[in-house]
Amino acid sequence: GLGYWLERKLSLGWLLRTYAFVLEYSLGKVPELSERIDRLAQRIAGYVEAADDDEILVVGHSLGANVAVSVLTRALAINALLFRQYKPVGLLTLGGSIPLQGLLPWARPFRDELAQLATNGDLAWVDITAPQDIASFALLNPVTVSGVALDEKAPQRPQVVSARFRELLSPETYDAATWNVFRMHFQYLMASEREALHDYLSVTTDGFRFRDRFAESQTGQD
């Protein structure tokens, strides 16, 4: 009965299955995902060369943030000037659980990927999380939390931004949603009830440049 209650309230089964998948993938037991990452990296590298877009934004939510990191580092391996020579490329990670993989002792290759992106000044990388989302490492730098040492004198990357769900939802919706663990983890991708600079649909569809959008943002609290 207690297990059923915890599952219903905290979605523990989903969280445990997620962790189990990360373990298997980090040990190389999910080769089909690595192959898909390679194909997407090749597609991005080829697309950027010929694109006439104002900018290109790669988005990763939850464990998709980990995948996005690997995709961009592999795309960069295909073309070392990927972020500099062509259209501006940005990385947006939402509700990320990057340290879930980065903290594993044997995940050194993934930590190397994190370091490569975090020290590349040509890539705009913003990480958005919320304290209400217990499935993410809220308001923490996912790179340094994963054990990657960065130059303290250099700009800390990625830029960590609060999702501020309270600003996006009405008080009634917010009070009801905060009790739903699953809902809070996917709220990043859902349409909001109030317009805001950090709303996902605004970030991905309006005319404001990604690199400049969060220039004045602070980590803050929700």
Side-chain angles (χ1 to χ4, degrees):
L2 176 61
Y4 175 77
W5 183 85
L6 289 173
E7 165 62 20
R8 188 161 53 89
K9 291 293 184 181
L10 301 178
S11 302
L12 288 184
W14 161 57
L15 293 173
L16 290 173
R17 289 194 300 273
T18 300
Y19 185 60
F21 177 81
V22 172
L23 288 176
E24 290 190 353
Y25 170 66
S26 64
L27 290 169
K29 295 183 178 180
V30 192
E32 58 271 28
L33 178 56
S34 184
E35 292 170 1
R36 292 181 67 179
I37 290 174
D38 284 336
R39 291 199 298 269
L40 184 53
Q42 293 170 1
R43 181 179 178 182
I44 291 176
Y47 181 84
V48 169
E49 290 188 29
D52 59 355
D53 306 274
D54 293 329
E55 62 181 1
I56 295 170
L57 184 61
V58 177
V59 182
H61 169 257
S62 190
L63 288 180
N66 304 46
V67 172
V69 167
S70 297
V71 164
L72 282 183
T73 52
R74 295 185 195 187
L76 193 60
I78 297 173
N79 187 338
L81 299 177
L82 185 71
F83 303 149
R84 182 183 307 172
Q85 185 174 347
Y86 304 105
K87 298 295 182 180
V89 177
L91 172 60
L92 173 63
T93 47
L94 303 164
S97 48
I98 286 175
L100 199 62
Q101 180 179 353
L103 287 171
L104 296 174
W106 54 83
R108 178 62 182 272
F110 182 64
R111 288 191 289 274
D112 290 342
E113 291 178 341
L114 291 173
Q116 188 175 359
L117 293 189
T119 55
N120 192 310
D122 296 314
L123 173 68
W125 180 5
V126 175
D127 184 73
I128 299 181
T129 51
Q132 296 89 344
D133 174 21
I134 66 172
S136 71
F137 289 73
L139 306 183
L140 298 173
N141 185 316
V143 176
T144 55
V145 171
S146 294
V148 178
L150 299 176
D151 185 353
E152 295 182 356
K153 297 181 180 179
Q156 292 302 292
R157 307 178 73 248
Q159 182 180 0
V160 177
V161 174
S162 173
R164 296 187 176 91
F165 289 148
R166 191 186 297 273
E167 297 179 8
L168 300 178
L169 303 172
S170 67
E172 296 78 15
T173 302
Y174 178 82
D175 290 342
T178 51
W179 291 96
N180 188 327
V181 172
F182 201 74
R183 165 70 182 270
M184 281 290 93
H185 189 55
F186 285 89
Q187 183 62 49
Y188 305 94
L189 301 174
M190 299 173 67
S192 63
E193 297 174 312
R194 298 171 177 172
E195 185 177 355
L197 195 66
H198 57 284
D199 170 62
Y200 173 69
L201 296 180
S202 296
V203 174
T204 55
T205 62
D206 71 17
F208 206 105
R209 291 295 180 91
F210 182 73
R211 181 175 293 273
D212 304 323
R213 173 178 293 271
F214 300 101
E216 303 300 326
S217 295
Q218 301 295 324
T219 296
Q221 299 289 334
D222 277 5

